[in-house]
């Protein structure tokens, strides 16, 4: 079966986690860059990547990579690519992308050249002057980094963070893919008891439950690649059946969320049901001031409130101080807190055993880890 060059973007800081995931689903020739992981694999690997990867934002086929410092180089580079192997005669091929530290900086101008060059390429391949673009949607993505151009075909469609369980959310939810990365760093396993004292819409504890029970994140959604001619239907069917066969039932795993807002606690329960982990997740209305540890070891994963305006920052830091008072001493428990506040450790009152830089979108955060 033919192999493709693939790439999966991710949050900065989760490249190592994503690399492990890709290796696990059969990806080969793995190469890591800032914020994305390149690999190779056949149609089965592409389908498994979409269904199973927890920390990838999407999975794309790399159509070509070359240096482009001028619009002529960009046009000629695209014109030479074997695009008809991936895009049908009637398929739609809109494009979007980004440019960073490159001579070509205007995104609209780059988009115009990409579209024109692709139209010439495909028109020549199919022997037509006009392309109907009435068929399947083939979303084209590009990056131009330090004058190196990468043209990609998105096989995911809607971003992979859209698991399908979070139709509703609170005002500042953590992205599912970032939450899954934190869950992996915390090494959540069957048998763990996971707590989130600021559960919001429940993303962290739901992702923890899905990981512990081995429920694939993309099991209950569709993908753009299912309508692409070079990816067989059997690959998608097989990926879903494999994923279903791995789902575990647990007598030991539990996840519990608290929130001062009763609507958030109710939302967490609804989302957990949609995710298929409702029997393992509980949520209650509770203020952090009333927190106390249960009589058995727990792992606390949380994304406490923070603010950008001075009053909000002051309120958030008061919460961090209360957190330190309620959670320390840690005893046999472990704690994972993500926040953009660089002064968190001073306010919390204890230096973390480890902290690592993670990006929540464009916001630089740190995951502060405290071990038992």
């Amino acid at each position: 079966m033919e192999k493709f060059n693939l790439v999966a973007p991710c949050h900065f800081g989760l490249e190592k986690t994503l690399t492990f995931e890709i290796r696990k689903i059969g990806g080969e020739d793995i190469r890591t860059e800032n914020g994305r992981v390149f690999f190779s694999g056949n149609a089965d690997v592409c389908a498994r990547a979409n269904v199973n990867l927890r920390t990838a934002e999407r999975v794309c086929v790399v159509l070509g990579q070359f240096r482009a410092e001028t619009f002529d180089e960009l046009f000629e580079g695209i014109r030479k690519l074997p695009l008809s192997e991936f895009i049908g005669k009637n398929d739609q091929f809109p494009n979007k992308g980004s440019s960073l530290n490159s001579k070509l900086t205007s995104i609209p101008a780059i988009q115009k050249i990409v579209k024109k060059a692709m139209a010439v390429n495909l028109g020549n391949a199919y022997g037509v002057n006009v392309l109907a673009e009435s068929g399947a949607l083939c979303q084209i993505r590009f990056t131009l980094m330090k004058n190196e151009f990468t043209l990609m075909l998105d096989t995911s469609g809607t971003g992979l963070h859209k698991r399908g369980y979070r139709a509703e959310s609170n005002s500042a939810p953590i992205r599912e893919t970032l939450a899954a990365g934190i869950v992996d760093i915390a090494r959540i396993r069957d048998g763990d008891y996971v707590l989130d004292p600021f559960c919001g819409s429940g993303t962290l504890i739901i992702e923890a439950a899905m990981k512990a029970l081995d429920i694939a994140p993309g099991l209950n959604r569709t993908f753009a690649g299912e309508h692409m001619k070079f990816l067989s239907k059997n690959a998608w069917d097989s990926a879903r059946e494999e994923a279903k066969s791995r789902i575990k039932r647990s007598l030991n795993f539990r996840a519990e969320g608290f929130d001062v807002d009763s609507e958030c606690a109710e939302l967490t329960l609804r989302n957990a049901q949609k995710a298929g982990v409702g029997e393992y997740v509980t949520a209650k209305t509770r203020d952090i001031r009333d927190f106390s540890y249960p009589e058995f070891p727990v792992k606390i994963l949380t994304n406490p409130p923070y603010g950008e305006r001075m009053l909000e920052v002051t309120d958030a830091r008061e919460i961090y101080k209360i957190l330190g008072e309620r959670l320390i001493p840690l005893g046999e428990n472990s704690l994972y807190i993500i926040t953009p506040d660089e002064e968190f450790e001073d306010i919390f009152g204890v230096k973390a055993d480890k902290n690592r830089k993670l990006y929540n979108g464009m916001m630089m955060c740190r995951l502060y880890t405290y071990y038992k």
Side-chain angles (χ1 to χ4, degrees):
M1 188 181 291
E2 182 183 2
K3 281 189 177 182
F4 309 110
N5 293 319
L6 303 164
V7 62
C10 64
H11 288 274
F12 288 100
L14 293 182
E15 295 89 350
K16 185 176 179 180
T17 298
L18 179 54
T19 294
F20 176 79
E21 288 190 88
I22 289 171
R23 188 173 292 115
K24 191 174 179 181
I25 56 99
E28 300 175 345
D29 308 314
I30 300 173
R31 176 170 58 87
T32 301
E33 291 185 0
N34 287 336
R36 57 183 182 177
V37 180
F38 291 88
F39 61 107
S40 65
N42 58 23
D44 290 333
V45 169
C46 183
R48 286 201 295 269
N50 276 289
V51 171
N52 292 287
L53 296 182
R54 299 181 189 277
T55 57
E57 294 300 311
R58 59 186 69 255
V59 178
C60 298
V61 174
V62 178
L63 301 176
Q65 288 185 291
F66 53 87
R67 191 165 183 83
E69 297 186 8
T70 67
F71 285 117
D72 284 343
E73 290 176 339
L74 179 60
F75 183 93
E76 288 302 315
I78 294 173
R79 190 178 64 81
K80 297 174 183 177
L81 298 176
L83 300 183
S84 61
E85 295 179 10
F86 304 95
I87 301 170
K89 181 178 179 180
N90 296 315
D91 290 347
Q92 305 170 61
F93 51 97
N95 71 82
K96 60 178 69 173
S98 61
S99 175
L100 182 66
N101 298 328
S102 299
K103 291 186 177 180
L104 302 179
T105 59
S106 170
I107 299 303
I110 295 171
Q111 286 179 293
K112 185 176 180 180
I113 296 298
V114 169
K115 186 71 174 184
K116 183 178 179 180
M118 290 186 67
V120 170
N121 180 313
L122 292 168
N124 290 338
Y126 290 114
V128 297
N129 293 321
V130 179
L131 295 164
E133 291 199 64
S134 57
L137 175 62
C138 293
Q139 179 65 59
I140 301 300
R141 297 181 181 274
F142 64 81
T143 60
L144 188 56
M145 293 185 179
K146 297 180 180 178
N147 300 310
E148 290 296 324
F149 184 79
T150 304
L151 192 70
M152 299 162 285
L153 172 58
D154 185 352
T155 68
S156 299
T158 302
L160 294 182
H161 70 283
K162 295 287 188 179
R163 321 293 209 205
Y165 66 76
R166 203 174 74 178
E168 304 174 75
S169 64
N170 62 323
S171 59
I174 189 171
R175 201 170 180 124
E176 295 90 332
T177 43
L178 179 56
I182 295 171
V183 165
D184 186 83
I185 292 167
R187 299 184 180 181
I188 299 301
R189 301 289 186 270
D190 183 18
D192 284 337
Y193 200 112
V194 179
L195 288 177
D196 183 355
F198 302 97
C199 64
S201 54
T203 308
L204 275 163
I205 55 178
I206 290 171
E207 290 293 327
M210 292 177 69
K211 176 68 180 294
L213 301 171
D214 208 356
I215 298 175
L219 195 53
N220 295 314
R221 53 159 289 172
T222 58
F223 306 94
E226 294 181 72
H227 305 288
M228 295 176 182
K229 63 178 184 176
F230 64 95
L231 297 172
S232 70
K233 182 178 183 300
N234 288 340
W236 300 97
D237 292 342
S238 176
R240 288 192 174 95
E241 289 305 312
E242 287 176 4
K244 288 177 182 177
S245 70
R246 294 196 310 269
I247 296 176
K248 298 183 289 191
R249 292 194 60 80
S250 174
L251 297 176
N252 302 310
F253 179 84
R254 289 292 182 273
E256 190 169 10
F258 304 118
D259 204 286
V260 69
D261 187 339
S262 61
E263 291 185 5
C264 286
E266 293 169 4
L267 180 56
T268 292
L269 294 175
R270 291 198 299 272
N271 288 343
Q273 287 291 341
K274 291 177 186 175
V277 296
E279 64 183 290
Y280 302 97
V281 173
T282 59
K284 300 173 184 176
T285 306
R286 182 179 296 176
D287 193 290
I288 186 60
R289 293 172 177 83
D290 300 321
F291 179 87
S292 60
Y293 284 111
E295 296 179 354
F296 43 82
V298 298
K299 291 182 177 179
I300 299 177
L301 278 59
T302 194
N303 174 37
Y306 58 86
E308 297 180 359
R309 295 189 294 269
M310 185 56 66
L311 181 60
E312 293 174 343
V313 170
T314 300
D315 291 342
R317 288 181 172 178
E318 179 62 25
I319 290 173
Y320 300 158
K321 181 180 178 182
I322 295 168
L323 264 175
E325 295 170 352
R326 302 307 301 170
L327 301 184
I328 301 299
L330 201 60
E332 292 296 306
N333 308 291
S334 56
L335 173 63
Y336 302 81
I337 300 179
I338 186 169
T339 174
D341 196 326
E342 292 283 353
E343 297 183 33
F344 172 80
E345 289 171 302
D346 292 336
I347 301 162
F348 184 70
V350 180
K351 184 175 177 60
D353 293 300
K354 187 175 182 179
N355 81 70
R356 62 191 295 167
K357 189 183 295 185
L358 293 176
Y359 278 79
N360 189 359
M362 297 304 294
M363 181 181 292
M364 198 278 281
C365 298
R366 289 188 184 276
L367 180 65
Y368 294 96
T369 301
Y370 297 82
Y371 300 110
K372 61 184 179 181

